[in-house]
Amino acid sequence: MTQSTPANRLRDVRSRIARAAAIAGRDSASICLLAVSKTCSADAVAALAACGQLDFGENYVQEGVGKIAALRTRHPRLRWHFIGPLQSNKTREVAAQFDWVHSVDRLHVAQRLSAQRPVERDGHVLAPLQICLQVNVSGEASKSGVPPQALEDLARAVGALPNLRLRGLMCIPAPNEDIQAQRAPFAQLHSLMEALNRQGFALDTLSMGMSADLEAAVLEGATIVRVGTALFGARSTAVGREKT
Ligand SMILES: *Cc1c(COP(=O)(O)O)cnc(C)c1O
């Protein structure tokens, strides 16, 4: 039996992505693996970074900002994605420390992120904050996400904000064991992005798929898959919770 090391788990997840991409006739280089490190230690992130992993996702503001502070100097090239529920009183730290936010579903939060995005950090000019709108597709597990009928108006308003760059859409469907059932909400998110692009948007990002359904997401066009458990092992649900 192969030992479960960070390097082995990373290789396994990458080969799952590559197999699904091959079936879909897609180049696996067009799919970004986002390692979801919520509840994991900064050391666990550093171990995966040492294997070449660059993109990390965090769900809780305080926990994420702590890890970024612990790792920024030694690992300045890491890209940090905020993927959890975001309340308006926490936007300032997210705007200052993260590179991406996947979970925007309200204009008010986007306006604050844009207003609070600093011009520079550590003497380097900062790129705009990269944004995905979280959509409440059919079968969504949580109550968050903009309803599809309200998506176009939100996208227009967010797309006009100066310090954000609207990149695409994100969803978190309810878990389902059946791959055909897994594919349906991902296909829906993909058509919503295409419909926006026909209205003049130039979106290029579909953030969808997790440990249990990343193949279905890749088959439906995911460009970012968000994987936690398959890379870091099972999380204890009691650990790492904080009010957001
Ligand atoms: C925790 C989480 C993930 C990763 O889930 P796994 O099933 O552990 O791969 C992906 N996306 C979001 C938004 C999450 O909260």
Side-chain angles (χ1 to χ4, degrees):
M1 207 180 96
T2 20
Q3 227 195 322
S4 179
T5 62
N8 287 339
R9 291 192 294 261
L10 183 60
R11 198 200 46 218
D12 289 349
V13 170
R14 282 189 179 147
S15 67
R16 284 176 62 189
I17 294 170
R19 273 198 304 273
I23 293 168
R26 302 181 57 199
D27 179 358
S28 63
S30 67
I31 300 154
C32 169
L33 171 59
L34 176 58
V36 177
S37 46
K38 62 179 174 215
T39 80
C40 298
S41 66
D43 286 346
V45 171
L48 211 58
C51 304
Q53 176 63 28
L54 287 173
D55 290 272
F56 290 89
E58 290 286 337
N59 287 60
Y60 310 105
V61 177
Q62 246 39 57
E63 182 194 334
V65 165
K67 264 176 251 183
I68 293 171
L71 292 164
R72 182 95 77 196
T73 313
R74 258 188 309 147
H75 298 280
R77 291 175 60 229
L78 299 187
R79 290 179 292 256
W80 292 94
H81 302 238
F82 189 79
I83 63 173
L86 182 52
Q87 288 181 357
S88 45
N89 60 344
K90 297 285 182 77
T91 50
R92 185 176 298 279
E93 284 176 293
V94 171
Q97 301 302 333
F98 283 83
D99 303 296
W100 283 73
V101 180
H102 294 224
S103 45
V104 171
D105 61 1
R106 278 170 297 158
L107 180 57
H108 178 60
V109 164
Q111 285 167 331
R112 291 178 61 93
L113 289 171
S114 179
Q116 294 167 343
R117 180 67 167 170
V119 176
E120 58 174 54
R121 183 172 61 214
D122 307 330
H124 299 282
V125 174
L126 274 183
L129 194 56
Q130 310 292 301
I131 300 292
C132 291
L133 300 179
Q134 183 175 350
V135 184
N136 196 320
V137 291
S138 54
E140 182 89 20
S142 76
K143 300 263 185 304
S144 43
V146 58
Q149 319 80 268
L151 176 61
E152 187 176 337
D153 285 348
L154 180 63
R156 284 210 191 286
V158 171
L161 293 170
N163 301 320
L164 308 184
R165 175 143 176 246
L166 181 60
R167 294 295 300 272
L169 307 179
M170 178 271 222
C171 69
I172 314 174
N176 201 305
E177 310 250 297
D178 175 65
I179 185 149
Q180 293 311 325
Q182 288 173 355
R183 289 178 68 162
F186 296 145
Q188 191 195 349
L189 198 71
H190 195 162
S191 355
L192 287 169
M193 184 175 80
E194 287 181 334
L196 288 175
N197 285 343
R198 282 194 300 274
Q199 300 302 315
F201 289 87
L203 307 183
D204 61 7
T205 302
L206 285 171
S207 167
M208 57 190 197
M210 322 202 296
S211 294
D213 55 13
L214 70 86
E215 284 85 357
V218 168
L219 290 173
E220 296 299 345
T223 64
I224 301 183
V225 291
R226 308 180 309 268
V227 178
T229 311
L231 289 172
F232 293 105
R235 290 178 294 273
S236 132
T237 46
V239 179
R241 295 282 148 173
E242 73 177 58
K243 286 225 173 76
T244 52

